[in-house]
Amino acid sequence: MNIRKIITITENTLTEGGRAVDPQHRVAVVAAVIENPWKGQGFVSDLGPGIEQNASDLGELLAPRVMAALGSAAQAYGKAAIVGLDGEIEHGSALIHTLKFGDHFRRAANATTLLPAVEKRAAAGTVFDIPLKHITDATIRSHHQSIEVRIADAPHPDEILIALAASTSGRPQQRLAALSTEGRK
């Protein structure tokens, strides 16, 4: 795996709706910009060897870094794969939609739910939103949130940007009723 750079972003929300957020809402993102393992190969029918060579190592690299950047227990989490223009969306999906990748984050966050994800093919500097959901119950609405990310020089056409995100709580000042309070008709 050829890594060009690793980026760490943290966001702390101190006020929302004109009121203090207590405790502060913190979101951390850690992204690795890697050379696309399938670059220059044309259409590859079997992505398995590239998954085997890279997915677990990426998860092992990113999961502890995002937890350290968060500095607290995670309550919500998510992931992203942004593929450079010379690659396929399936290349990013192959790396992040496998237990070899995701289980590193689940263990680090003490999580059990599926990791919500965004994946797309885009030019360097594209803006993307990483969706986050609760780490043990994806139906908890207060934790459905997202963080907007932009890395100015990534991904290059032959790269993939892989990112993990975690938050210390649900949305700041959330006040929607629990999903269980809504009756179905």
Side-chain angles (χ1 to χ4, degrees), residues 61-73:
L61 171 74
L62 296 175
R65 286 175 184 250
V66 74
M67 294 305 296
L70 190 63
S72 184

Side-chain angles (χ1 to χ4, degrees), residues 122-158:
T126 193
V127 174
F128 58 97
D129 290 350
I130 302 176
L132 291 90
K133 293 199 178 191
H134 195 276
I135 63 169
T136 60
D137 184 350
T139 68
I140 297 177
R141 288 196 283 203
S142 60
H143 287 61
H144 293 197
Q145 57 192 302
S146 62
I147 182 159
E148 185 176 87
V149 179
R150 177 182 178 273
I151 309 302
D153 70 340
H156 290 172
D158 62 351

Side-chain angles (χ1 to χ4, degrees), residues 49-132:
I51 293 168
E52 284 297 321
Q53 292 169 359
N54 297 285
S56 183
D57 289 346
L58 274 168
E60 186 176 33
L61 171 74
L62 296 175
R65 286 175 184 250
V66 74
M67 294 305 296
L70 190 63
S72 184
Q75 288 191 22
Y77 68 162
K79 61 187 174 183
I82 311 303
V83 180
L85 294 176
D86 289 348
E88 300 174 38
I89 293 171
E90 192 70 2
H91 296 162
S93 296
L95 295 174
I96 67 170
H97 292 305
T98 173
L99 296 176
K100 294 174 188 322
F101 176 78
D103 277 352
H104 290 283
F105 200 10
R106 279 185 202 84
R107 283 191 296 273
N110 294 315
T112 57
T113 58
L114 291 175
L115 275 153
V118 63
E119 59 261 75
K120 67 188 213 179
R121 182 176 42 235
T126 193
V127 174
F128 58 97
D129 290 350
I130 302 176
L132 291 90

Side-chain angles (χ1 to χ4, degrees), residues 36-47 50 53 86 88 91:
N36 185 330
W38 299 281
K39 82 172 193 172
Q41 298 178 36
F43 185 87
V44 177
S45 295
D46 182 6
L47 300 176
Q53 292 169 359
D86 289 348
E88 300 174 38
H91 296 162

Side-chain angles (χ1 to χ4, degrees), residues 3-18:
I3 301 172
R4 180 166 63 91
K5 66 191 311 184
I6 297 173
I7 304 98
T8 301
I9 301 166
T10 57
E11 176 182 287
N12 294 289
T13 303
L14 309 178
T15 63
E16 180 72 27

